[in-house]
Amino acid sequence: AAIDLDVAIVWSVAPGRDLEQRLVRIRNTALRAASSSGRPVVREAERAWSGWLDGHPLTSDDLTAASEAALEVITPGGFEDGERSVVLDPSVAAVVLDAIVRGLLTTGAARRPEVARFPAALASPLVTVVDDPTSAGAYGSFAFDDEGEPAAPLTLIDAGRIAARLADRTGAATNAAAGRGRRAGHVGPIVPAFSHVRLVPGDTELRKLLGDGFLLEGGLDASLDPATGRIRIACARARELKAGTTTGQLYADVELVGSLTDLLTAVDAVASTPASFAPRGPAERDPVWRSIAAPALRTRGLVRASRSRA
């Protein structure tokens, strides 16, 4: 188990303006490891927030859930590849949002011709995505950005349609109101980046999303190819569903693949309870303070055992 603590005091000084903010970021992580049929199984419990050390610590329930997940018996063999109804748990929905925002919804990404050709009608009308640095206690929240502009929410996807992109205010020729520089306190050049992205919850309980198909859990990574519009979503496990209940069949290392627009336009239900995550990439040398809040959602797509990215 570990606690990561980042503290930054940031000033923004300009004629007629003198701003200061103290940013304290805490990430509390615990790993549980076991062996299933000779293969290692690692599950993680994590909470990340801004504020004080005792703000949102891991609870005994969090640790128990991680332990039980590591000890679950994996079904031997596999399942037949095919298109199925799938429920994406909040962690899987979060890695999808991460890939969409970074790959499509910044002005830096939009300069690529293949991104500029993406349709504005990207998702089901049930999908609304907001970048909201004003969310209290969010790991990616801030009071003002590196351009000294006060934090304000920005709707990126409004009822399924791309509404805005994250941009430097000084370079946002097509959408000056959509400015968002790198969050204050980061080292390096100012680049458009999200702060705290949230998928607006629906009004459906998670259990009512379950039918026939798979519940995909433990989002690991999502890679998006804007040139083809295809996305690959890697998940730790898939839980088979039949008539709204689990069958006891649990498959490890699966992926959901296909067209991003097909996957998003097929969303027919969004759960009412979100969970928060603080994604981080292995290649990120310096701290990157971003977070995502997402509920579970239901869609359709091709589910298969994990294979090479090719």
Side-chain angles (χ1 to χ4, degrees):
I3 295 179
D4 294 334
L5 179 66
D6 290 308
V7 181
I9 299 176
V10 185
W11 295 272
S12 179
V13 179
R17 184 186 67 200
D18 188 358
L19 302 175
E20 178 183 350
Q21 62 180 328
R22 183 172 185 263
L23 304 172
V24 181
R25 316 288 177 183
I26 302 101
R27 188 191 297 267
N28 191 186
T29 306
L31 298 179
R32 293 293 184 262
S35 177
S36 178
S37 302
R39 60 186 298 276
V41 178
V42 177
R43 298 290 178 255
E44 182 179 76
E46 180 177 273
R47 291 189 181 230
W49 68 95
S50 64
W52 304 100
L53 278 172
D54 58 355
H56 302 278
L58 290 173
T59 66
S60 58
D61 288 343
D62 295 326
L63 301 179
T64 298
S67 297
E68 290 178 348
L71 292 170
E72 284 183 310
V73 177
I74 302 300
T75 302
F79 58 90
E80 187 175 341
D81 297 354
E83 182 174 302
R84 291 176 170 85
S85 174
V86 290
V87 176
L88 312 186
D89 88 343
S91 70
V92 180
V95 298
V96 175
L97 288 176
D98 186 38
I100 292 171
V101 176
R102 290 190 295 110
L104 300 178
L105 300 182
T106 70
T107 51
R111 283 194 287 268
R112 300 170 60 184
E114 60 269 29
V115 173
R117 291 194 295 267
F118 246 82
L122 183 66
S124 158
L126 298 176
V127 176
T128 293
V129 178
V130 180
D131 181 62
D132 188 2
T134 67
S135 295
Y139 190 77
S141 63
F142 59 82
F144 60 84
D145 67 15
D146 269 354
E147 293 172 317
E149 296 294 333
L154 174 68
T155 299
L156 301 175
I157 299 176
D158 187 6
R161 298 186 63 85
I162 296 177
R165 286 185 166 89
L166 299 167
D168 293 336
R169 286 176 176 79
T170 55
T174 60
N175 193 354
R180 181 85 80 248
R182 181 181 287 277
R183 273 89 61 232
H186 282 268
V187 176
I190 293 177
V191 296
F194 71 80
S195 58
H196 178 69
V197 164
R198 54 183 177 87
L199 173 62
V200 175
D203 55 5
T204 307
E205 296 178 27
L206 173 59
R207 63 182 179 83
K208 293 184 178 179
L209 269 59
L210 307 182
D212 293 337
F214 283 118
L215 170 61
L216 302 184
E217 301 175 333
L220 302 174
D221 178 61
S223 55
L224 172 64
D225 181 359
T228 63
R230 290 181 62 81
I231 190 167
R232 171 189 175 271
I233 306 159
C235 308
R237 54 199 176 274
R239 206 175 293 275
E240 188 180 56
L241 301 172
K242 183 77 71 175
T245 60
T246 58
T247 66
Q249 304 298 308
L250 180 68
Y251 302 97
D253 301 325
V254 300
E255 59 188 27
L256 179 64
V257 296
S259 161
L260 174 65
T261 52
D262 287 350
L263 183 72
L264 294 181
T265 55
V267 172
D268 62 3
V270 178
S272 56
T273 305
S276 294
F277 306 89
R280 52 187 170 183
E284 293 169 345
R285 182 186 62 183
D286 298 316
V288 177
W289 295 331
R290 60 174 180 256
S291 51
I292 299 172
L297 57 86
R298 186 175 63 202
T299 183
R300 290 191 64 84
L302 176 64
V303 186
R304 68 188 187 188
S306 291
R307 57 192 70 178
S308 70
R309 292 178 182 269

